Short mmCIF file of all heavy atoms in Angstrom, two decimals:
data_model
loop_
_atom_site.label_atom_id
_atom_site.label_comp_id
_atom_site.label_asym_id
_atom_site.label_seq_id
_atom_site.Cartn_x
_atom_site.Cartn_y
_atom_site.Cartn_z
N GLY A 1 86.71 105.80 110.37
CA GLY A 1 86.94 104.72 109.41
C GLY A 1 87.40 105.19 108.04
O GLY A 1 87.50 104.37 107.13
N ILE A 2 87.70 106.45 107.89
CA ILE A 2 88.16 107.01 106.61
C ILE A 2 89.33 107.94 106.89
O ILE A 2 89.30 108.73 107.84
CB ILE A 2 87.03 107.80 105.91
CG1 ILE A 2 86.00 106.83 105.32
CG2 ILE A 2 87.57 108.70 104.81
CD1 ILE A 2 86.46 106.07 104.10
N SER A 3 90.35 107.87 106.04
CA SER A 3 91.48 108.78 106.19
C SER A 3 91.37 109.93 105.19
O SER A 3 90.67 109.82 104.17
CB SER A 3 92.81 108.04 105.98
OG SER A 3 92.95 107.62 104.63
N TRP A 4 92.05 111.02 105.50
CA TRP A 4 92.10 112.19 104.61
C TRP A 4 93.55 112.62 104.49
O TRP A 4 94.26 112.73 105.51
CB TRP A 4 91.25 113.33 105.17
CG TRP A 4 91.35 114.63 104.41
CD1 TRP A 4 90.62 115.00 103.33
CD2 TRP A 4 92.23 115.73 104.71
NE1 TRP A 4 90.98 116.26 102.91
CE2 TRP A 4 91.97 116.73 103.75
CE3 TRP A 4 93.20 115.95 105.68
CZ2 TRP A 4 92.66 117.95 103.75
CZ3 TRP A 4 93.89 117.16 105.68
CH2 TRP A 4 93.62 118.14 104.72
N SER A 5 94.01 112.82 103.25
CA SER A 5 95.39 113.25 102.99
C SER A 5 95.37 114.58 102.28
O SER A 5 94.67 114.75 101.26
CB SER A 5 96.13 112.22 102.12
OG SER A 5 96.14 110.96 102.75
N ALA A 6 96.13 115.55 102.79
CA ALA A 6 96.07 116.92 102.26
C ALA A 6 96.63 117.02 100.85
O ALA A 6 96.10 117.74 100.01
CB ALA A 6 96.83 117.86 103.20
N ASP A 7 97.74 116.33 100.57
CA ASP A 7 98.38 116.44 99.25
C ASP A 7 98.50 115.05 98.65
O ASP A 7 99.57 114.46 98.59
CB ASP A 7 99.75 117.09 99.40
CG ASP A 7 100.41 117.37 98.05
OD1 ASP A 7 99.73 117.22 97.01
OD2 ASP A 7 101.60 117.73 98.03
N PHE A 8 97.39 114.56 98.18
CA PHE A 8 97.37 113.23 97.61
C PHE A 8 97.98 113.22 96.21
O PHE A 8 98.75 112.32 95.87
CB PHE A 8 95.93 112.72 97.55
CG PHE A 8 95.78 111.31 97.09
CD1 PHE A 8 96.08 110.26 97.94
CD2 PHE A 8 95.32 111.02 95.81
CE1 PHE A 8 95.94 108.94 97.52
CE2 PHE A 8 95.18 109.72 95.38
CZ PHE A 8 95.49 108.67 96.25
N HIS A 9 97.63 114.24 95.42
CA HIS A 9 98.18 114.34 94.07
C HIS A 9 98.20 115.80 93.64
O HIS A 9 97.16 116.44 93.50
CB HIS A 9 97.35 113.53 93.08
CG HIS A 9 97.82 113.66 91.66
ND1 HIS A 9 99.01 113.13 91.23
CD2 HIS A 9 97.26 114.27 90.58
CE1 HIS A 9 99.17 113.40 89.94
NE2 HIS A 9 98.13 114.08 89.53
N GLU A 10 99.41 116.32 93.47
CA GLU A 10 99.61 117.68 92.96
C GLU A 10 98.75 118.71 93.69
O GLU A 10 98.08 119.53 93.07
CB GLU A 10 99.36 117.72 91.46
CG GLU A 10 100.36 116.87 90.67
CD GLU A 10 100.18 116.97 89.17
OE1 GLU A 10 99.14 117.54 88.73
OE2 GLU A 10 101.06 116.49 88.44
N GLY A 11 98.74 118.63 95.01
CA GLY A 11 98.04 119.60 95.83
C GLY A 11 96.58 119.30 96.08
O GLY A 11 95.92 120.02 96.83
N THR A 12 96.05 118.25 95.45
CA THR A 12 94.65 117.87 95.67
C THR A 12 94.56 116.85 96.80
O THR A 12 95.31 115.88 96.82
CB THR A 12 94.04 117.28 94.39
OG1 THR A 12 94.11 118.24 93.34
CG2 THR A 12 92.58 116.90 94.62
N ALA A 13 93.64 117.08 97.72
CA ALA A 13 93.44 116.16 98.84
C ALA A 13 92.60 114.97 98.41
O ALA A 13 91.94 115.00 97.36
CB ALA A 13 92.78 116.89 100.00
N ALA A 14 92.60 113.93 99.24
CA ALA A 14 91.81 112.74 98.93
C ALA A 14 91.33 112.07 100.22
O ALA A 14 91.97 112.15 101.26
CB ALA A 14 92.61 111.74 98.11
N PHE A 15 90.17 111.43 100.11
CA PHE A 15 89.63 110.58 101.17
C PHE A 15 89.77 109.13 100.73
O PHE A 15 89.75 108.82 99.54
CB PHE A 15 88.15 110.86 101.40
CG PHE A 15 87.84 112.20 102.01
CD1 PHE A 15 87.55 113.29 101.21
CD2 PHE A 15 87.85 112.36 103.39
CE1 PHE A 15 87.25 114.52 101.77
CE2 PHE A 15 87.54 113.58 103.96
CZ PHE A 15 87.24 114.67 103.16
N GLY A 16 89.84 108.22 101.70
CA GLY A 16 89.84 106.82 101.35
C GLY A 16 90.55 105.98 102.37
O GLY A 16 90.62 106.31 103.55
N HIS A 17 91.11 104.86 101.90
CA HIS A 17 91.81 103.95 102.80
C HIS A 17 92.73 103.07 101.98
O HIS A 17 92.45 102.75 100.82
CB HIS A 17 90.82 103.07 103.57
CG HIS A 17 91.21 102.80 104.99
ND1 HIS A 17 92.33 102.07 105.33
CD2 HIS A 17 90.63 103.17 106.16
CE1 HIS A 17 92.41 102.00 106.65
NE2 HIS A 17 91.40 102.66 107.18
N SER A 18 93.83 102.65 102.61
CA SER A 18 94.70 101.64 102.01
C SER A 18 94.64 100.39 102.87
O SER A 18 94.04 100.39 103.96
CB SER A 18 96.14 102.16 101.92
OG SER A 18 96.65 102.45 103.21
N GLY A 19 95.24 99.32 102.39
CA GLY A 19 95.24 98.09 103.16
C GLY A 19 96.44 97.23 102.83
O GLY A 19 96.88 97.18 101.68
N GLY A 20 96.98 96.59 103.84
CA GLY A 20 98.09 95.67 103.63
C GLY A 20 98.02 94.53 104.62
O GLY A 20 97.79 94.75 105.81
N THR A 21 98.20 93.32 104.12
CA THR A 21 98.19 92.15 104.99
C THR A 21 99.04 91.07 104.33
O THR A 21 99.73 91.34 103.34
CB THR A 21 96.76 91.68 105.26
OG1 THR A 21 96.78 90.64 106.25
CG2 THR A 21 96.08 91.19 104.00
N LEU A 22 99.01 89.88 104.89
CA LEU A 22 99.78 88.79 104.31
C LEU A 22 99.30 88.55 102.88
O LEU A 22 98.15 88.20 102.64
CB LEU A 22 99.59 87.52 105.14
CG LEU A 22 100.36 86.29 104.64
CD1 LEU A 22 101.86 86.47 104.88
CD2 LEU A 22 99.86 85.02 105.32
N GLY A 23 100.19 88.81 101.91
CA GLY A 23 99.89 88.50 100.52
C GLY A 23 99.17 89.55 99.72
O GLY A 23 98.94 89.36 98.52
N PHE A 24 98.81 90.70 100.31
CA PHE A 24 98.00 91.66 99.57
C PHE A 24 98.34 93.11 99.95
O PHE A 24 98.69 93.40 101.09
CB PHE A 24 96.51 91.43 99.86
CG PHE A 24 95.98 90.14 99.33
CD1 PHE A 24 95.69 89.08 100.20
CD2 PHE A 24 95.79 89.94 97.97
CE1 PHE A 24 95.22 87.87 99.73
CE2 PHE A 24 95.30 88.73 97.49
CZ PHE A 24 95.02 87.70 98.37
N THR A 25 98.14 94.00 98.96
CA THR A 25 98.21 95.45 99.16
C THR A 25 97.07 96.08 98.37
O THR A 25 96.81 95.66 97.23
CB THR A 25 99.56 96.02 98.68
OG1 THR A 25 100.63 95.26 99.27
CG2 THR A 25 99.69 97.49 99.06
N ALA A 26 96.40 97.06 98.95
CA ALA A 26 95.23 97.64 98.29
C ALA A 26 95.14 99.14 98.56
O ALA A 26 95.55 99.63 99.62
CB ALA A 26 93.96 96.95 98.80
N TYR A 27 94.57 99.85 97.58
CA TYR A 27 94.34 101.30 97.70
C TYR A 27 92.94 101.62 97.17
O TYR A 27 92.55 101.13 96.11
CB TYR A 27 95.36 102.10 96.89
CG TYR A 27 96.79 101.88 97.31
CD1 TYR A 27 97.55 100.86 96.75
CD2 TYR A 27 97.40 102.69 98.27
CE1 TYR A 27 98.87 100.64 97.12
CE2 TYR A 27 98.71 102.48 98.66
CZ TYR A 27 99.44 101.46 98.08
OH TYR A 27 100.75 101.25 98.47
N MET A 28 92.21 102.48 97.89
CA MET A 28 90.88 102.94 97.47
C MET A 28 90.73 104.40 97.90
O MET A 28 90.65 104.69 99.09
CB MET A 28 89.79 102.09 98.12
CG MET A 28 88.35 102.53 97.77
SD MET A 28 87.09 101.71 98.80
CE MET A 28 87.28 102.61 100.37
N TYR A 29 90.72 105.32 96.94
CA TYR A 29 90.66 106.75 97.26
C TYR A 29 89.78 107.49 96.28
O TYR A 29 89.65 107.10 95.11
CB TYR A 29 92.07 107.37 97.22
CG TYR A 29 92.93 106.94 98.38
CD1 TYR A 29 93.79 105.85 98.27
CD2 TYR A 29 92.87 107.60 99.61
CE1 TYR A 29 94.57 105.44 99.34
CE2 TYR A 29 93.65 107.20 100.68
CZ TYR A 29 94.49 106.12 100.54
OH TYR A 29 95.25 105.71 101.61
N TRP A 30 89.19 108.61 96.74
CA TRP A 30 88.55 109.55 95.84
C TRP A 30 89.10 110.93 96.13
O TRP A 30 89.38 111.31 97.26
CB TRP A 30 87.03 109.51 95.95
CG TRP A 30 86.42 110.01 97.23
CD1 TRP A 30 86.04 111.28 97.54
CD2 TRP A 30 86.09 109.22 98.40
NE1 TRP A 30 85.50 111.35 98.80
CE2 TRP A 30 85.51 110.09 99.35
CE3 TRP A 30 86.22 107.87 98.72
CZ2 TRP A 30 85.08 109.64 100.59
CZ3 TRP A 30 85.79 107.43 99.96
CH2 TRP A 30 85.23 108.32 100.88
N LEU A 31 89.30 111.69 95.05
CA LEU A 31 89.89 113.02 95.17
C LEU A 31 88.84 114.02 95.65
O LEU A 31 87.74 114.08 95.10
CB LEU A 31 90.49 113.47 93.85
CG LEU A 31 91.92 112.97 93.60
CD1 LEU A 31 91.95 111.45 93.39
CD2 LEU A 31 92.56 113.67 92.43
#
């Protein structure tokens, strides 16, 4: 239920999740 991205910002990885549906876009991450 959580994603991990190796290079989220300038080489720093992050955990979290994004979301998209009718009418909305959302991002929630921690480095």
Side-chain angles (χ1 to χ4, degrees):
I2 286 288
S3 68
W4 174 86
S5 302
D7 186 9
F8 185 76
H9 177 69
E10 296 184 349
T12 300
F15 290 94
H17 218 295
S18 61
T21 187
L22 181 71
F24 293 106
T25 308
Y27 300 89
M28 178 191 76
Y29 288 94
W30 68 89
L31 276 68

